[in-house]
């Protein structure tokens, strides 16, 4: 939404994402798999880290080009994915005191303070503990948002009411009870696997098929929360589009 809100129409943003995301993400994933597989043949071990792989090159020119490419890709990825959104969030907290630039600085400082290099120091911990646990939260949120927008509200939102603290989207004390219940139900099936992964409980504390759900946390949470939200909201009335004709 930090980028698509600037689109002139729904069709434009759909076209942009359809052209820009699937082909590029597929290509990047393919290159990653092929290159990592090739390192096993060439060096006798799988090297997934581009920096470590670049250190194995003999040509200084090739190393320089690889490092420049890594620097550009790191900056581009982090600016687009990890700075724009939180910078806007910080700016919205205190618009008179925090602009987008200051919000970006705050994001950068916090990014250093959380010591992200420790997350990737152990690939196993980074992938199976951090990333999958993170996805177990994002999956349910995504399922609820899609179920609400496409099936409950049928792609109709009153934009003016979204910014009205006492409007129709206030729900009960500012919280959508159905969404919270669906969120918890989507997270719950992944909890045993997470506890096993962080070694808080024994691996045999739950049946293997239950703990195994954790490896598909995003999909499990997405579908369970989405379906639960639909069932809980089956009596919800379709919201009327605002008079201005704006829709989100």
């Amino acid at each position: 939404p930090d980028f698509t809100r600037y689109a002139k129409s729904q069709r434009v943003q759909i076209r942009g994402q359809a052209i820009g995301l699937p082909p590029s993400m597929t290509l990047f994933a393919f290159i990653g798999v092929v290159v990592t597989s090739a390192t096993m043949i060439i060096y006798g071990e799988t090297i997934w880290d581009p920096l470590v792989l670049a250190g194995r090159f003999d040509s200084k020119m090739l190393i320089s080009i690889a490092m420049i490419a890594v620097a550009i890709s790191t900056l581009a990825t982090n600016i687009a994915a990890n700075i724009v959104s939180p910078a806007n969030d910080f700016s919205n907290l205190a618009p008179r005191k925090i602009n987008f630039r200051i919000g970006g600085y705050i994001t950068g400082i916090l990014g250093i303070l959380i010591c992200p290099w420790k997350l990737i120091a152990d690939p196993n911990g980074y992938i199976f503990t951090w990333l999958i646990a993170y996805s177990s939260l994002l999956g349910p949120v995504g399922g609820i948002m899609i179920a609400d927008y496409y099936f409950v509200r049928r792609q109709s939102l009153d934009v003016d009411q979204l910014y009205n603290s006492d409007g129709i989207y206030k729900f009960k004390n500012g919280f959508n009870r159905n969404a919270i219940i669906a969120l918890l139900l989507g997270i719950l099936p992944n909890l045993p696997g997470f506890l096993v992964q962080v070694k808080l409980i024994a691996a045999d504390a739950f049946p293997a098929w239950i703990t195994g759900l954790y490896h598909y946390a995003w999909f499990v949470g997405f579908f369970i929360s989405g379906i639960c939200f639909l069932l809980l909201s089956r009596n919800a009335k379709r919201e009327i589009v605002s008079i201005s004709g704006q829709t989100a």
Side-chain angles (χ1 to χ4, degrees):
D2 290 288
F3 296 101
T4 56
R5 64 180 177 177
Y6 298 112
K8 295 182 179 180
S9 67
Q10 184 81 333
R11 182 178 181 182
V12 170
Q13 70 92 5
I14 291 176
R15 183 188 304 169
Q17 294 195 67
I19 296 175
L21 289 178
S24 60
M25 296 299 290
T26 302
L27 178 61
F28 292 154
F30 173 76
I31 293 175
V33 171
V34 171
V35 172
T36 303
S37 301
T39 59
M40 185 64 188
I41 300 175
I42 299 173
Y43 299 109
E45 60 177 318
T46 55
I47 303 175
W48 63 272
D49 190 337
L51 298 178
V52 176
L53 178 59
R56 296 292 189 92
F57 297 158
D58 296 326
S59 172
K60 293 183 179 180
M61 178 63 70
L62 188 58
I63 294 176
S64 299
I65 295 175
M67 291 298 96
I68 292 174
V70 169
I72 294 175
S73 64
T74 301
L75 287 173
T77 300
N78 281 282
I79 290 174
N82 301 324
I83 293 182
V84 173
S85 178
N88 281 330
D89 292 337
F90 285 124
S91 177
N92 290 332
L93 287 176
R96 295 182 179 180
K97 298 181 179 179
I98 303 176
N99 56 25
F100 179 80
R101 177 179 295 181
I102 296 177
Y105 289 148
I106 295 174
T107 302
I109 293 172
L110 291 177
I112 295 174
L113 293 178
I114 65 174
C115 303
W117 50 87
K118 290 189 176 182
L119 291 175
I120 62 175
D122 177 16
N124 183 66
Y126 174 63
I127 296 174
F128 295 103
T129 302
W130 162 246
L131 281 183
I132 296 184
Y134 186 48
S135 71
S136 69
L137 300 177
L138 293 184
V141 172
I144 293 170
M145 292 177 66
I146 289 179
D148 181 61
Y149 181 64
Y150 284 99
F151 298 103
V152 176
R153 306 188 188 281
R154 304 296 177 88
Q155 304 181 52
S156 295
L157 291 175
D158 190 325
V159 178
D160 292 334
Q161 290 292 316
L162 289 173
Y163 297 92
N164 185 351
S165 59
D166 294 318
I168 60 176
Y169 301 116
K170 182 180 180 180
F171 301 105
K172 187 175 182 179
N173 298 323
F175 295 93
N176 187 332
R177 183 178 61 182
N178 292 340
I180 294 176
I181 294 174
L183 176 67
L184 295 176
L185 291 175
I187 294 174
L188 188 61
N190 296 314
L191 188 58
F194 171 74
L195 295 177
V196 170
Q197 180 64 35
V198 296
K199 297 180 173 57
L200 289 179
I201 62 174
D204 57 355
F206 290 90
W209 70 270
I210 292 181
T211 56
L213 293 175
Y214 177 70
H215 297 293
Y216 310 95
W218 191 93
F219 299 97
V220 172
F222 179 90
F223 287 108
I224 290 180
S225 288
I227 293 173
C228 289
F229 183 78
L230 283 176
L231 294 176
L232 292 170
S233 305
R234 60 184 180 276
N235 294 324
K237 296 181 179 180
R238 179 180 177 181
E239 302 294 344
I240 301 176
V241 182
S242 63
I243 298 177
S244 62
Q246 292 178 301
T247 57

